[in-house]
Amino acid sequence: MLTRQRPFVVEILTALALIAAPFVLPHLGFTPTTINRILIWALVGIGFDLLFGYTGLLSFGQSAFFGTGGMFAAYLLTQTPFTNTVAAVLLGTIVAGVVGYLVGLVALRRTGIYFAMITVAIAEVFFFVEFNPLSAYTGGENGLPGVPPPNLDLWFTNIEFDNNMSMYVFFAVCYFVGLVIALRIVRSPVGLLLRAIRDNPLRAQALGHDIHGYKLAVFVVAAMYSGFAGGLLGLMQGFMPPDAFMFATSGEIVMQTAIGGAGTLFGPLLGAATWLYLSDFFQTTLNLGATWKLVLGIVFVLLVVFLRRGLFGAIVDIYQFARRGRKATGQPSEAAPAPAPSSAPAAATVVAMPARRKTTGGKTGPILQAIGLTKRYGGLVANSDIDFTVHHGEMRGIIGPNGAGKSTFFKMLTCEVPPTSGRIVFDGRDITGMGVADACQLGLTKSYQINQLFDRLTVRQNLRIAALGELRGKFRLDLFRNLRKVAGLDAQVQSTAALVNLTARLDTPVSELAYGEKRRLEIGLALATSPSLLLLDEPLAGMSPQERVETVALLKSIAVGRTMIVIDHDMDSLFELVERITVLQEGRVLVEGTPEEIKTDAKVQEAYLGGVNGELAFHGESA
């Protein structure tokens, strides 16, 4: 990739574009004021893009932080002896961040549409407060006039930015710094985890990450970007307008990001340029009066419908199409697709993973105990008074008819759902009531019956997300750390990919994988956390006979030195894999024993097929 070979190419190209903009854009009809306004709106959009495009949190409350940061800076500069404009804007940014933290504590208690509605309400509350209780400080409907132009107060001189060109230089530098910071965040471990939260928050949590903490962090970052831009708006206009708090401001931020392309960082810049240019064009050139909003709304709908990834996404698509065309006319080797995954059993290519949690380490005795475990959903009893023990290094199987309570039992063991009563002890520690992320951090991890992958990311990124949970812990704000510099990350990813026979597919988007490859990746995500105890929920579900043979070989290979519990309906494969089997029926333990004992047990035969034909009752059984 271009960014891997030349890590600063994006920053250099952006700097060159910013240098050229004031000389090129006026010839396209942009006024100097519009150009400066574009940079300010683009800064707000960068923060919103981190929140929405990268994390999937749709907020309509950015105007609250935009107005808060701007009003605080304007108040310092107009109502107090404070004269340092840069310091005032930075203080306003901090205040907006603090307000964002407090708002986030409330808003992030809900997800999806409920989160969005809470942010709408918050924007309206801030608008009311600015116009009424705090009007003595904010100027109410008049705003705060008399904000000085930007200046840079150095110890040896004071630089004034009091004309269009010098003001553009000031705003362009601010935008460039804001963009570089956002790029560092996106390229950091936190940036990858934000995309994981966007694509599949529950799986990110199950891999040991504190998703609420990361959501709150990015919410604060977005609020600070908005507050910083609000301060710049006051400096540009000479007064802080009250409409900064209006809900329409939040709506424009959302629309500009959608037009430009969410999840790109550059989309807000293109969106702001398009939005403001068309606004000026419809109002001043075409003299449409109030009708300009209707026309602009129609243009917005058309752009969103026909350019679903926005303007920047369309540019990227065109570039990639042209690049593929050049490859197709070049050397055959350049256009050769990635090697197809080997059809040989994965056991032939096993590479040992670097052990961070010693999975068995010669330990003996129980690693997991469930004592009197019960789960009720109202009047329905899913599991009742289950006693269950697994020892270090054991391969345990769990079977039972459909509706026997196997999945609920697994969810309780991994702390996805709390038991109604009973206890769970893992490696000598009572984990009853613990969160799923905390359980994963202790070394208790599960793969899912239905693939829970990050489909918009590559295989490498999926495995990195899983490995980061162990390498960095549950929560760490290393916002400016290069992802590739996380010690041990690449080794963990490579070894896990080799274990599940996906080395040749590391840079392939998950959406392009075959079903069998996705099942192996599902197991790989659990393995990449270096678990002490690995739970596999129907790893053979939905596979062809050949894929089942290969996956059984894979499971045999990864079982060496590990403790595993497997649920599956493929009896032949399960009996070949495990040493001991627990049979559940109607939420209770029916019987436990070796595969040979289970095959001939009359109670098990009765539970499945009414005792017909002894051992043959199990041959090829599936659900």
PDB file of all heavy atoms in Angstrom, residues 589-614:
ATOM      1  N   VAL A 589     -27.810 -31.545  33.305  1.00  0.00           N
ATOM      2  CA  VAL A 589     -26.818 -32.541  32.915  1.00  0.00           C
ATOM      3  C   VAL A 589     -27.473 -33.915  32.974  1.00  0.00           C
ATOM      4  O   VAL A 589     -27.913 -34.358  34.037  1.00  0.00           O
ATOM      5  CB  VAL A 589     -25.576 -32.492  33.832  1.00  0.00           C
ATOM      6  CG1 VAL A 589     -24.626 -33.633  33.481  1.00  0.00           C
ATOM      7  CG2 VAL A 589     -24.860 -31.152  33.701  1.00  0.00           C
ATOM      8  N   LEU A 590     -27.525 -34.573  31.820  1.00  0.00           N
ATOM      9  CA  LEU A 590     -28.114 -35.908  31.760  1.00  0.00           C
ATOM     10  C   LEU A 590     -27.107 -36.968  32.157  1.00  0.00           C
ATOM     11  O   LEU A 590     -27.398 -37.843  32.986  1.00  0.00           O
ATOM     12  CB  LEU A 590     -28.644 -36.177  30.352  1.00  0.00           C
ATOM     13  CG  LEU A 590     -29.297 -37.542  30.112  1.00  0.00           C
ATOM     14  CD1 LEU A 590     -30.560 -37.676  30.951  1.00  0.00           C
ATOM     15  CD2 LEU A 590     -29.612 -37.731  28.623  1.00  0.00           C
ATOM     16  N   VAL A 591     -25.897 -36.878  31.565  1.00  0.00           N
ATOM     17  CA  VAL A 591     -24.864 -37.864  31.852  1.00  0.00           C
ATOM     18  C   VAL A 591     -23.525 -37.314  31.380  1.00  0.00           C
ATOM     19  O   VAL A 591     -23.465 -36.443  30.505  1.00  0.00           O
ATOM     20  CB  VAL A 591     -25.177 -39.212  31.147  1.00  0.00           C
ATOM     21  CG1 VAL A 591     -25.093 -39.070  29.634  1.00  0.00           C
ATOM     22  CG2 VAL A 591     -24.277 -40.330  31.633  1.00  0.00           C
ATOM     23  N   GLU A 592     -22.436 -37.809  31.942  1.00  0.00           N
ATOM     24  CA  GLU A 592     -21.084 -37.489  31.499  1.00  0.00           C
ATOM     25  C   GLU A 592     -20.307 -38.786  31.315  1.00  0.00           C
ATOM     26  O   GLU A 592     -20.556 -39.769  32.021  1.00  0.00           O
ATOM     27  CB  GLU A 592     -20.348 -36.591  32.508  1.00  0.00           C
ATOM     28  CG  GLU A 592     -20.825 -35.156  32.523  1.00  0.00           C
ATOM     29  CD  GLU A 592     -19.962 -34.266  33.416  1.00  0.00           C
ATOM     30  OE1 GLU A 592     -19.207 -34.818  34.252  1.00  0.00           O
ATOM     31  OE2 GLU A 592     -20.054 -33.045  33.268  1.00  0.00           O
ATOM     32  N   GLY A 593     -19.351 -38.778  30.386  1.00  0.00           N
ATOM     33  CA  GLY A 593     -18.544 -39.968  30.187  1.00  0.00           C
ATOM     34  C   GLY A 593     -17.660 -39.843  28.974  1.00  0.00           C
ATOM     35  O   GLY A 593     -17.630 -38.814  28.293  1.00  0.00           O
ATOM     36  N   THR A 594     -16.919 -40.924  28.687  1.00  0.00           N
ATOM     37  CA  THR A 594     -16.069 -40.952  27.499  1.00  0.00           C
ATOM     38  C   THR A 594     -16.954 -41.121  26.262  1.00  0.00           C
ATOM     39  O   THR A 594     -18.125 -41.504  26.374  1.00  0.00           O
ATOM     40  CB  THR A 594     -15.084 -42.120  27.577  1.00  0.00           C
ATOM     41  OG1 THR A 594     -15.829 -43.351  27.544  1.00  0.00           O
ATOM     42  CG2 THR A 594     -14.246 -42.045  28.849  1.00  0.00           C
ATOM     43  N   PRO A 595     -16.411 -40.840  25.069  1.00  0.00           N
ATOM     44  CA  PRO A 595     -17.216 -41.040  23.853  1.00  0.00           C
ATOM     45  C   PRO A 595     -17.792 -42.447  23.748  1.00  0.00           C
ATOM     46  O   PRO A 595     -18.953 -42.612  23.353  1.00  0.00           O
ATOM     47  CB  PRO A 595     -16.215 -40.747  22.734  1.00  0.00           C
ATOM     48  CG  PRO A 595     -15.276 -39.754  23.328  1.00  0.00           C
ATOM     49  CD  PRO A 595     -15.124 -40.166  24.752  1.00  0.00           C
ATOM     50  N   GLU A 596     -16.997 -43.462  24.104  1.00  0.00           N
ATOM     51  CA  GLU A 596     -17.497 -44.838  24.010  1.00  0.00           C
ATOM     52  C   GLU A 596     -18.642 -45.072  24.984  1.00  0.00           C
ATOM     53  O   GLU A 596     -19.626 -45.757  24.662  1.00  0.00           O
ATOM     54  CB  GLU A 596     -16.360 -45.825  24.277  1.00  0.00           C
ATOM     55  CG  GLU A 596     -15.296 -45.860  23.191  1.00  0.00           C
ATOM     56  CD  GLU A 596     -15.886 -46.222  21.838  1.00  0.00           C
ATOM     57  OE1 GLU A 596     -16.775 -47.106  21.786  1.00  0.00           O
ATOM     58  OE2 GLU A 596     -15.492 -45.597  20.832  1.00  0.00           O
ATOM     59  N   GLU A 597     -18.545 -44.509  26.174  1.00  0.00           N
ATOM     60  CA  GLU A 597     -19.620 -44.676  27.161  1.00  0.00           C
ATOM     61  C   GLU A 597     -20.886 -43.951  26.702  1.00  0.00           C
ATOM     62  O   GLU A 597     -22.001 -44.467  26.879  1.00  0.00           O
ATOM     63  CB  GLU A 597     -19.169 -44.129  28.515  1.00  0.00           C
ATOM     64  CG  GLU A 597     -18.073 -44.964  29.169  1.00  0.00           C
ATOM     65  CD  GLU A 597     -17.475 -44.287  30.389  1.00  0.00           C
ATOM     66  OE1 GLU A 597     -17.658 -43.051  30.539  1.00  0.00           O
ATOM     67  OE2 GLU A 597     -16.817 -44.971  31.183  1.00  0.00           O
ATOM     68  N   ILE A 598     -20.729 -42.773  26.118  1.00  0.00           N
ATOM     69  CA  ILE A 598     -21.886 -42.004  25.674  1.00  0.00           C
ATOM     70  C   ILE A 598     -22.594 -42.702  24.518  1.00  0.00           C
ATOM     71  O   ILE A 598     -23.828 -42.717  24.434  1.00  0.00           O
ATOM     72  CB  ILE A 598     -21.466 -40.580  25.270  1.00  0.00           C
ATOM     73  CG1 ILE A 598     -20.909 -39.821  26.482  1.00  0.00           C
ATOM     74  CG2 ILE A 598     -22.621 -39.818  24.648  1.00  0.00           C
ATOM     75  CD1 ILE A 598     -21.890 -39.667  27.616  1.00  0.00           C
ATOM     76  N   LYS A 599     -21.819 -43.310  23.619  1.00  0.00           N
ATOM     77  CA  LYS A 599     -22.420 -43.988  22.465  1.00  0.00           C
ATOM     78  C   LYS A 599     -23.394 -45.088  22.886  1.00  0.00           C
ATOM     79  O   LYS A 599     -24.400 -45.324  22.219  1.00  0.00           O
ATOM     80  CB  LYS A 599     -21.325 -44.599  21.594  1.00  0.00           C
ATOM     81  CG  LYS A 599     -20.524 -43.609  20.780  1.00  0.00           C
ATOM     82  CD  LYS A 599     -19.470 -44.327  19.951  1.00  0.00           C
ATOM     83  CE  LYS A 599     -18.593 -43.348  19.190  1.00  0.00           C
ATOM     84  NZ  LYS A 599     -17.563 -44.060  18.391  1.00  0.00           N
ATOM     85  N   THR A 600     -23.064 -45.758  23.955  1.00  0.00           N
ATOM     86  CA  THR A 600     -23.874 -46.922  24.359  1.00  0.00           C
ATOM     87  C   THR A 600     -24.796 -46.630  25.540  1.00  0.00           C
ATOM     88  O   THR A 600     -25.444 -47.545  26.051  1.00  0.00           O
ATOM     89  CB  THR A 600     -22.946 -48.088  24.727  1.00  0.00           C
ATOM     90  OG1 THR A 600     -22.046 -47.674  25.773  1.00  0.00           O
ATOM     91  CG2 THR A 600     -22.135 -48.520  23.520  1.00  0.00           C
ATOM     92  N   ASP A 601     -24.858 -45.378  25.987  1.00  0.00           N
ATOM     93  CA  ASP A 601     -25.675 -45.048  27.145  1.00  0.00           C
ATOM     94  C   ASP A 601     -27.156 -45.017  26.756  1.00  0.00           C
ATOM     95  O   ASP A 601     -27.558 -44.279  25.840  1.00  0.00           O
ATOM     96  CB  ASP A 601     -25.249 -43.698  27.722  1.00  0.00           C
ATOM     97  CG  ASP A 601     -25.894 -43.420  29.056  1.00  0.00           C
ATOM     98  OD1 ASP A 601     -27.085 -43.045  29.061  1.00  0.00           O
ATOM     99  OD2 ASP A 601     -25.224 -43.574  30.083  1.00  0.00           O
ATOM    100  N   ALA A 602     -27.948 -45.773  27.467  1.00  0.00           N
ATOM    101  CA  ALA A 602     -29.374 -45.890  27.135  1.00  0.00           C
ATOM    102  C   ALA A 602     -30.109 -44.569  27.312  1.00  0.00           C
ATOM    103  O   ALA A 602     -31.014 -44.230  26.529  1.00  0.00           O
ATOM    104  CB  ALA A 602     -30.008 -46.971  28.004  1.00  0.00           C
ATOM    105  N   LYS A 603     -29.762 -43.794  28.339  1.00  0.00           N
ATOM    106  CA  LYS A 603     -30.449 -42.529  28.579  1.00  0.00           C
ATOM    107  C   LYS A 603     -30.167 -41.526  27.463  1.00  0.00           C
ATOM    108  O   LYS A 603     -31.057 -40.768  27.056  1.00  0.00           O
ATOM    109  CB  LYS A 603     -30.000 -41.953  29.933  1.00  0.00           C
ATOM    110  CG  LYS A 603     -30.523 -42.715  31.134  1.00  0.00           C
ATOM    111  CD  LYS A 603     -30.221 -42.003  32.433  1.00  0.00           C
ATOM    112  CE  LYS A 603     -28.727 -42.014  32.747  1.00  0.00           C
ATOM    113  NZ  LYS A 603     -28.446 -41.428  34.079  1.00  0.00           N
ATOM    114  N   VAL A 604     -28.937 -41.557  26.943  1.00  0.00           N
ATOM    115  CA  VAL A 604     -28.596 -40.650  25.849  1.00  0.00           C
ATOM    116  C   VAL A 604     -29.342 -41.054  24.577  1.00  0.00           C
ATOM    117  O   VAL A 604     -29.868 -40.209  23.840  1.00  0.00           O
ATOM    118  CB  VAL A 604     -27.078 -40.638  25.612  1.00  0.00           C
ATOM    119  CG1 VAL A 604     -26.726 -39.717  24.446  1.00  0.00           C
ATOM    120  CG2 VAL A 604     -26.347 -40.185  26.871  1.00  0.00           C
ATOM    121  N   GLN A 605     -29.386 -42.351  24.315  1.00  0.00           N
ATOM    122  CA  GLN A 605     -30.097 -42.827  23.136  1.00  0.00           C
ATOM    123  C   GLN A 605     -31.580 -42.456  23.221  1.00  0.00           C
ATOM    124  O   GLN A 605     -32.196 -42.059  22.232  1.00  0.00           O
ATOM    125  CB  GLN A 605     -29.933 -44.338  23.004  1.00  0.00           C
ATOM    126  CG  GLN A 605     -28.499 -44.764  22.734  1.00  0.00           C
ATOM    127  CD  GLN A 605     -28.296 -46.265  22.881  1.00  0.00           C
ATOM    128  OE1 GLN A 605     -29.272 -47.019  22.860  1.00  0.00           O
ATOM    129  NE2 GLN A 605     -27.057 -46.681  23.039  1.00  0.00           N
ATOM    130  N   GLU A 606     -32.139 -42.566  24.390  1.00  0.00           N
ATOM    131  CA  GLU A 606     -33.548 -42.219  24.573  1.00  0.00           C
ATOM    132  C   GLU A 606     -33.772 -40.727  24.345  1.00  0.00           C
ATOM    133  O   GLU A 606     -34.773 -40.314  23.749  1.00  0.00           O
ATOM    134  CB  GLU A 606     -33.985 -42.599  25.999  1.00  0.00           C
ATOM    135  CG  GLU A 606     -35.448 -42.302  26.309  1.00  0.00           C
ATOM    136  CD  GLU A 606     -36.381 -43.230  25.541  1.00  0.00           C
ATOM    137  OE1 GLU A 606     -35.961 -44.357  25.179  1.00  0.00           O
ATOM    138  OE2 GLU A 606     -37.525 -42.816  25.282  1.00  0.00           O
ATOM    139  N   ALA A 607     -32.816 -39.911  24.810  1.00  0.00           N
ATOM    140  CA  ALA A 607     -32.945 -38.459  24.652  1.00  0.00           C
ATOM    141  C   ALA A 607     -32.926 -38.045  23.196  1.00  0.00           C
ATOM    142  O   ALA A 607     -33.620 -37.100  22.786  1.00  0.00           O
ATOM    143  CB  ALA A 607     -31.810 -37.748  25.405  1.00  0.00           C
ATOM    144  N   TYR A 608     -32.145 -38.763  22.385  1.00  0.00           N
ATOM    145  CA  TYR A 608     -32.008 -38.384  20.978  1.00  0.00           C
ATOM    146  C   TYR A 608     -33.040 -39.054  20.074  1.00  0.00           C
ATOM    147  O   TYR A 608     -33.788 -38.405  19.365  1.00  0.00           O
ATOM    148  CB  TYR A 608     -30.593 -38.722  20.484  1.00  0.00           C
ATOM    149  CG  TYR A 608     -29.611 -37.606  20.718  1.00  0.00           C
ATOM    150  CD1 TYR A 608     -28.902 -37.531  21.907  1.00  0.00           C
ATOM    151  CD2 TYR A 608     -29.413 -36.620  19.763  1.00  0.00           C
ATOM    152  CE1 TYR A 608     -28.007 -36.505  22.137  1.00  0.00           C
ATOM    153  CE2 TYR A 608     -28.524 -35.583  19.983  1.00  0.00           C
ATOM    154  CZ  TYR A 608     -27.820 -35.520  21.177  1.00  0.00           C
ATOM    155  OH  TYR A 608     -26.949 -34.506  21.397  1.00  0.00           O
ATOM    156  N   LEU A 609     -33.029 -40.381  20.068  1.00  0.00           N
ATOM    157  CA  LEU A 609     -33.834 -41.083  19.073  1.00  0.00           C
ATOM    158  C   LEU A 609     -34.673 -42.205  19.672  1.00  0.00           C
ATOM    159  O   LEU A 609     -34.990 -43.187  18.998  1.00  0.00           O
ATOM    160  CB  LEU A 609     -32.930 -41.658  17.971  1.00  0.00           C
ATOM    161  CG  LEU A 609     -32.170 -40.630  17.138  1.00  0.00           C
ATOM    162  CD1 LEU A 609     -31.194 -41.333  16.216  1.00  0.00           C
ATOM    163  CD2 LEU A 609     -33.141 -39.798  16.316  1.00  0.00           C
ATOM    164  N   GLY A 610     -34.984 -42.090  20.901  1.00  0.00           N
ATOM    165  CA  GLY A 610     -35.832 -43.107  21.514  1.00  0.00           C
ATOM    166  C   GLY A 610     -35.163 -44.455  21.662  1.00  0.00           C
ATOM    167  O   GLY A 610     -35.810 -45.483  21.747  1.00  0.00           O
ATOM    168  N   GLY A 611     -33.793 -44.493  21.654  1.00  0.00           N
ATOM    169  CA  GLY A 611     -33.064 -45.717  21.890  1.00  0.00           C
ATOM    170  C   GLY A 611     -32.967 -46.637  20.708  1.00  0.00           C
ATOM    171  O   GLY A 611     -32.659 -47.811  20.875  1.00  0.00           O
ATOM    172  N   VAL A 612     -33.196 -46.168  19.486  1.00  0.00           N
ATOM    173  CA  VAL A 612     -33.177 -47.042  18.316  1.00  0.00           C
ATOM    174  C   VAL A 612     -31.753 -47.404  17.934  1.00  0.00           C
ATOM    175  O   VAL A 612     -30.909 -46.545  17.762  1.00  0.00           O
ATOM    176  CB  VAL A 612     -33.877 -46.355  17.123  1.00  0.00           C
ATOM    177  CG1 VAL A 612     -33.801 -47.230  15.881  1.00  0.00           C
ATOM    178  CG2 VAL A 612     -35.322 -46.051  17.479  1.00  0.00           C
ATOM    179  N   ASN A 613     -31.479 -48.705  17.805  1.00  0.00           N
ATOM    180  CA  ASN A 613     -30.255 -49.232  17.199  1.00  0.00           C
ATOM    181  C   ASN A 613     -28.972 -48.891  17.939  1.00  0.00           C
ATOM    182  O   ASN A 613     -27.894 -48.870  17.346  1.00  0.00           O
ATOM    183  CB  ASN A 613     -30.113 -48.767  15.752  1.00  0.00           C
ATOM    184  CG  ASN A 613     -31.187 -49.365  14.874  1.00  0.00           C
ATOM    185  OD1 ASN A 613     -31.703 -50.451  15.171  1.00  0.00           O
ATOM    186  ND2 ASN A 613     -31.540 -48.672  13.805  1.00  0.00           N
ATOM    187  N   GLY A 614     -29.033 -48.630  19.204  1.00  0.00           N
ATOM    188  CA  GLY A 614     -27.806 -48.461  19.978  1.00  0.00           C
ATOM    189  C   GLY A 614     -26.893 -47.401  19.415  1.00  0.00           C
ATOM    190  O   GLY A 614     -27.271 -46.258  19.222  1.00  0.00           O
TER     191      GLY A 614
END
